[in-house]
Each structure stands twice: as C-alpha cells, then as structure tokens.
Amino acid sequence: MIFQNNKKINPAARTGWVAYKRGYEVTQSTVIIDHCLRRLKNDGVMVVLYAKGYQSQATIIYAVQERQILIDKPKDWPEVNKIKVVFRDGADLWNHFSAPVLSVLKDGLCLRKPTEMFMLQRRTLFRVTTPRGSKATFVYNKKKCKFKVLDISAGGMLVSTAQDHGVDLYGKTIKEILITLPGDSGTKQVKEKTVRFTVPEGKVVRSMKIPGTDQEQFGIRLFAVPKEERRIFQYIRQRELQVMRKNFD
C-alpha cells in the first residue's frame, strides 16, 4: 500500500495541507479533518470504500462523533478490519483517508476517526488511460476509419494508428464517432462491462508522428450531446477510482 510511512511527513501538516508524494497533499490537522468529515455527513456527500480487492458502491457517512465515525454499510461488505474512504471535496478534488473498523453494526460500520487525510491535486476533466483493446471508429470524407484509443477526457481523446489512411486529418471534422472501451478484468466484487459512446462530431486538433515507428497519433476534440457527455464524464470518474484502487491494493 501507499502512504504507510508517516515519519517523513512535514510537521506543518499538523496545522494545514502540505505537499506529499505523487501529486498528493496531506494534513494531520484535527480542525481540518473534523470540518471535512462534518461536511461529508451534513451534505450527504457520497464516499467509496476500498480494501484489498474490494471497492464498494457509493455510500454515506451518517454520524461523526468525538473519536469515531459511522458509515452506512454496503450490502456486499467483505468483513475487513481496515478500509480507505475516498470522496470528492468541495473543490472537486479526490480525497481519502484510512481507518480501522472498530465494529460492524446491523446497518453501519463504526470506524476510528482518522488522524490524517490525503488530497490529490488534480481536477475533473483530467485524461484517463483506457483499457487495452479500446478503439474508436468514425467517418471522414465518407470513409470509415478505425483507431486505437489511448486516453479520453470528457472533452476529447487521444487515438493512434499504424495504418496510413492517405489523408492529413489535422484540422478536419470527423463524423459518426463510436468509442468502444472494454472493461478491465476487475474483481469478484467489481464486474466491469464494455461501454460504448456515440458522438456525432469531432475535430482533429493535434497530429503527430511517433519517431522510428509507423504510428501516428491524433488529438480529437469531441462534440458530444449533453447526455453522452455526462456518461463519458461518469466513466472517467470511475476510471480514476479504478486507478486509485490499484494503488491501494
């Protein structure tokens, strides 16, 4: 797991946020942590629970006490003795903390109140790498083209091809875009299925040759309808969680 050695954390973390590792900041301020926990509880902010090989569905913190917090117990709770709690803060940044499970209630989990919290300084609409086998097809000049998808954001994607299509796509508008993203193998608790997005139009805003190869990459801006844009956005958030889960295992 990451974040196990707290001896190297800057003493300033006891009163505020300080830089840590991998783009994270950390705090051990009881004032900041208590304020954050009460915001999660009072605003009903959804959190996700992690243990090795496990990721819960969204749940909520329903009580914050002096030394412990209570979380609505997921239906598939695996009976572990320590978990990580992951959530978005008011600035839409990913936060997480670890906590021992003190007891398991009929409908809740009693956790020890955390003494430190981590925040990832990376905002939404960030690009996520796509699973192996991800592809996109689209139509340009009445010709159907097929590319490998390397990464995706709510507003665009990076694709590549080793095939010469005989046309310079830079600056061109493409139509009828179909993006197919297979699910990762996942775990027994997390079943991942292939997802597909349809986008009526896009524009190639970047083009580059990879030196020493036949590969060419294209940055494509996507003009999705609002409903599909929301689906892509939700997919990206889920992929972020998957990456975090792998770091926690």
Side-chain angles (χ1 to χ4, degrees), residues 161-175:
T161 181
Q163 178 184 357
D164 184 1
H165 290 275
V167 62
D168 181 10
L169 290 174
Y170 178 72
K172 303 297 192 299
T173 297
I174 58 178
K175 306 279 188 178

Side-chain angles (χ1 to χ4, degrees), residues 34 37-38 63-69 111-114:
D34 191 68
L37 293 174
R38 294 191 182 281
V64 177
Q65 301 172 356
E66 184 178 357
R67 297 184 180 179
Q68 59 195 31
I69 60 175
L111 310 182
R112 182 179 298 163
K113 203 170 185 179

Side-chain angles (χ1 to χ4, degrees), residues 73-171:
K73 185 174 71 173
K75 293 181 180 179
D76 60 347
W77 176 244
E79 302 296 338
V80 297
N81 56 20
K82 188 175 184 179
I83 60 173
K84 289 186 183 292
V85 181
V86 182
F87 57 93
R88 291 272 191 182
D89 64 16
D92 213 24
L93 296 173
W94 285 112
N95 287 237
H96 75 269
F97 61 84
S98 296
V101 179
L102 300 177
S103 61
V104 179
L105 311 175
K106 180 180 179 181
D107 296 312
L109 303 172
C110 179
L111 310 182
R112 182 179 298 163
K113 203 170 185 179
T115 57
E116 65 185 18
M117 192 172 289
F118 296 88
M119 174 172 60
L120 180 59
Q121 284 289 356
R122 186 166 59 199
R123 297 183 183 276
T124 57
L125 299 185
F126 117 110
R127 290 185 176 273
V128 293
T129 55
T130 50
R132 181 178 301 179
S134 298
K135 62 183 180 180
T137 61
F138 56 82
V139 174
Y140 172 70
N141 199 22
K142 298 183 179 180
K143 182 179 179 181
K144 190 172 184 178
C145 304
K146 181 178 178 180
F147 290 79
K148 181 197 306 186
V149 179
L150 302 178
D151 63 41
I152 189 169
S153 75
M157 62 179 175
L158 179 67
V159 302
S160 71
T161 181
Q163 178 184 357
D164 184 1
H165 290 275
V167 62
D168 181 10
L169 290 174
Y170 178 72

Side-chain angles (χ1 to χ4, degrees), residues 15 25 50 63 94 107 124 207 209 225 231:
T15 56
E25 292 187 0
Y50 286 93
W94 285 112
D107 296 312
T124 57
S207 173
K209 291 277 190 179
V225 298
R231 288 187 64 231

